[in-house]
Amino acid sequence: MNSQTMYRAMLFVFISSFILGGYLLEDLGVKYVSDGGSPLVKIHIYSYVLLFFTVLLTLKKGISKPLGNLKELKSAWLISSLSVSIVVLYGLYRFGTSGMAYLIDTIVSALLAIYILSQLTNEHKDKLLKLVAYLLFINAVIAILEFILGKTLVDVSFSSFSHFRSTALLTHPLNNALITASLALLLLNKTKIPVFIYFTVMLIALFAFGGRGAAGMFLAGFVIMTLPNSMRFFTAGIKMSKLKFALAQAFFLLTLIVIILILTLTPVGERIISKLYIDGSAQARFDVFIILEQLSISEWLLGASASIMNNIEFYIGINVIENYVIGWVVSFGLFGTILLLLSSFLISIKMVWKNDIYMQVSLLVLFAVSLTNNALTTKTPVIMLFFSCLYLVYSRKYKNDVI
């Protein structure tokens, strides 16, 4: 199995993870998130493709050589894979197949993606990184247009928000916000689109999604990432031709005018102002801690009883735990939560450890924004996409090619 074949597989994985969102699948008659239907359709097609090529690759080349291409990430990958496997088995024991598919789509798929990406040549890695960067930009543009028009591209089923929120291609607004905020900082300079335009589109899209926490962390992360260059500009200076500097100034002013027009002539500006306070949605993030007070010692360790899990709304007023760590504690206990945190972040921490500030800040943004919602207890490609992009940046930085 050569790099070209696996490159095409990953091409399909990335495109399908963006285009074939949960709402679109439901509109097409696939019961991906709704009740009923075959358990087989509860797992996304990109997970099946990743699993198929992982098995095929292992059968053709064995396990040692493919794992060898992971190089210094090998041990972290093995620990992560073992951790999530244990939780999946425990979840099947506790709940059966009900509600377990998200572990496959959200976490297992991320580890399989890195396994396959490590087998690609550097040329194919570069192409895939650019692909995701452009897909993210297109998704953000769709979100802004949806918000301006007040209509989503795909029919959606939720109705719990007091204001319109864009859904674009990646289904739920908060899922979109998490993916956009965490990936955008990694991909700012991976396209031919000027960085300032890319950044601005992402920021406006985050408000269109209604992701206040995501927008705040995205801005904070961008400031931290650009601080070294800003300090150098105002102290030592940066060499630049007069023509290039003049064009940069003109481009900046033109873009600024466009932003002002968008904020004043569309609902986006009003939405930004309306989200700068703590409302019921934000309060729900604090109320989830009430659930922990109801757990006994055994439930802390092994997961909440059925009576607590069936009465979440009684305790906090809504039937969703808006914090994935607490959601994991309730479902799998502390032991399972620790294993899921290892499988979700160990390999990414290994990649950013002692690395450049761009990768470190991107991971910090992912972790911080994810704590503001329950996206990681649902079916989302965010970890798969983030792991993939982080690995592609990491491997190309050190010129890691296949062996």
Side-chain angles (χ1 to χ4, degrees):
M1 183 181 296
N2 57 30
S3 177
Q4 180 68 22
T5 301
M6 289 181 287
Y7 163 73
R8 290 173 178 169
M10 291 307 303
L11 198 70
F12 176 82
V13 166
F14 290 150
I15 293 176
S16 64
S17 67
F18 269 88
I19 296 179
L20 298 179
Y23 295 132
L24 178 59
L25 290 175
E26 290 288 334
D27 290 343
L28 294 175
V30 180
K31 291 186 175 295
Y32 178 63
V33 292
S34 59
D35 295 333
S38 169
L40 294 177
V41 301
K42 302 300 181 183
I43 298 175
H44 201 282
I45 188 170
Y46 69 72
S47 294
Y48 283 116
V49 172
L50 288 168
L51 181 60
F52 173 78
F53 278 92
T54 297
V55 172
L56 191 61
L57 175 65
T58 305
L59 289 176
K60 285 182 173 292
K61 295 190 175 182
I63 190 68
S64 297
K65 187 174 180 179
L67 280 178
N69 284 321
L70 286 169
K71 296 180 171 44
E72 61 277 1
L73 300 178
K74 176 181 175 180
S75 58
W77 188 89
L78 289 172
I79 292 172
S80 300
S81 299
L82 178 62
S83 297
V84 72
S85 297
I86 292 173
V87 177
V88 169
L89 292 175
Y90 181 59
L92 290 173
Y93 168 74
R94 284 203 71 192
F95 310 111
T97 57
S98 178
M100 293 300 299
Y102 84 87
L103 290 178
I104 306 298
D105 284 349
T106 303
I107 301 177
V108 174
S109 65
L111 297 171
L112 297 180
I114 286 186
Y115 182 78
I116 294 176
L117 287 172
S118 65
Q119 318 304 313
L120 301 182
T121 63
N122 289 333
E123 179 185 0
H124 287 146
K125 290 176 181 177
D126 289 339
K127 289 181 179 180
L128 288 173
L129 195 59
K130 291 178 182 178
L131 170 70
V132 178
Y134 279 112
L135 287 173
L136 190 69
F137 184 80
I138 292 170
N139 188 69
V141 171
I142 291 173
I144 296 172
L145 293 175
E146 283 182 340
F147 196 81
I148 292 173
L149 298 174
K151 182 176 178 59
T152 58
L153 180 66
V154 180
D155 290 336
V156 299
S157 59
F158 64 83
S159 58
S160 59
F161 298 121
S162 57
H163 299 278
F164 176 85
R165 292 190 179 190
S166 301
T167 58
L169 301 174
L170 294 167
T171 64
H172 197 280
L174 296 182
N175 183 53
N176 269 284
L178 176 59
I179 293 174
T180 302
S182 57
L183 283 181
L185 293 177
L186 267 179
L187 304 175
L188 280 173
N189 60 349
K190 305 305 178 186
T191 69
K192 293 183 178 180
I193 301 169
V195 170
F196 187 72
I197 288 185
Y198 200 96
F199 167 81
T200 302
V201 169
M202 295 300 157
L203 181 60
I204 295 176
L206 286 173
F207 282 105
F209 295 135
R212 287 172 294 185
M217 285 304 302
F218 177 70
L219 279 172
F222 183 76
V223 169
I224 295 172
M225 288 169 58
T226 56
L227 191 59
N229 286 335
S230 300
M231 293 296 293
R232 189 165 63 251
F233 177 81
F234 288 109
T235 55
I238 298 176
K239 290 184 177 181
M240 182 184 297
S241 67
K242 291 181 180 180
L243 177 60
K244 188 174 181 180
F245 184 68
L247 289 174
Q249 286 181 308
F251 181 75
F252 176 81
L253 290 173
L254 179 62
T255 307
L256 192 60
I257 292 172
V258 172
I259 294 173
I260 293 173
L261 290 175
I262 291 175
L263 295 180
T264 55
L265 300 179
T266 73
V268 175
E270 180 184 352
R271 178 51 183 268
I272 291 175
I273 299 299
S274 71
K275 300 307 289 183
L276 298 179
Y277 65 93
I278 297 179
D279 57 7
S281 176
Q283 186 62 42
R285 272 69 171 175
F286 298 100
D287 292 342
V288 294
F289 292 95
I290 297 174
I291 295 292
L292 299 180
E293 299 174 3
Q294 316 303 318
L295 303 181
S296 65
I297 294 178
S298 62
E299 288 174 330
W300 265 98
L301 297 177
L302 301 174
S305 62
S307 62
I308 291 180
M309 296 187 68
N310 293 332
N311 291 282
I312 298 296
E313 188 171 2
F314 171 79
Y315 294 109
I316 61 176
I318 58 175
N319 60 0
V320 176
I321 299 177
E322 293 284 4
N323 183 304
Y324 73 91
V325 175
I326 295 177
W328 285 346
V329 171
V330 170
S331 296
F332 306 109
L334 276 177
F335 291 144
T337 300
I338 291 171
L339 292 175
L340 286 175
L341 286 172
L342 281 174
S343 58
S344 299
F345 296 104
L346 178 61
I347 197 166
S348 55
I349 291 174
K350 178 76 172 178
M351 282 189 276
V352 306
W353 191 256
K354 296 181 180 179
N355 215 309
D356 63 47
I357 192 172
Y358 297 92
M359 299 171 69
Q360 294 170 349
V361 170
S362 296
L363 177 58
L364 180 62
V365 169
L366 170 66
F367 183 73
V369 176
S370 65
L371 288 175
T372 66
N373 60 59
N374 67 325
L376 298 190
T377 56
T378 63
K379 298 171 185 176
T380 172
V382 60
I383 298 183
M384 187 271 290
L385 292 171
F386 184 80
F387 270 23
S388 297
C389 291
L390 192 65
Y391 174 76
L392 291 171
V393 172
Y394 171 84
S395 64
R396 293 300 288 116
K397 181 180 178 64
Y398 293 101
K399 305 298 181 182
N400 287 349
D401 214 335
V402 292
I403 59 176

